[in-house]
Amino acid sequence: MSMKRTNVYADPEDLAIIKEAAKRRGISEAEIIREGIHLAAMANRVWDEPLFSRTFTGPGRTLAKDEVRDAVADAVRSEAAPGGTG
């Protein structure tokens, strides 16, 4: 993987924690910082498609946990059935 160098300012206490973690894990401090940058990038990414693109017909009220599970299971079963949309 190609990398690009950059400079950042960091809190000395955070750097001390990273130094300890790198030693404990047997990896470089830079690797931990790269992991953190990747997590921050993914947390702030704008996706092209919504996470959930399907809608389900419901009763017009907030469903209980088991009702949601059953509705999703029914939809998956109907898509997997012969002639389903999936």
Side-chain angles (χ1 to χ4, degrees), residues 22-45:
K23 185 176 180 181
R24 185 177 61 251
R25 292 176 58 190
I27 62 175
S28 69
E29 295 170 42
E31 183 60 28
I32 292 177
I33 293 168
R34 282 191 290 270
E35 289 174 4
I37 290 170
H38 179 69
L39 290 172
M42 295 307 291
N44 289 284
R45 180 176 178 180

Side-chain angles (χ1 to χ4, degrees), residues 43-54:
N44 289 284
R45 180 176 178 180
V46 176
W47 298 90
D48 294 336
E49 298 179 15
L51 181 59
F52 297 104
S53 60
R54 299 181 194 167

Side-chain angles (χ1 to χ4, degrees), residues 50-56 72 75-76 79 85-86:
L51 181 59
F52 297 104
S53 60
R54 299 181 194 167
T55 57
F56 300 97
V72 171
V76 170
E79 285 187 4
T85 61

Side-chain angles (χ1 to χ4, degrees), residues 7-24:
N7 294 316
V8 298
Y9 291 95
D11 185 282
E13 292 176 5
D14 291 339
L15 293 175
I17 293 168
I18 289 171
K19 184 179 209 94
E20 291 172 15
K23 185 176 180 181
R24 185 177 61 251

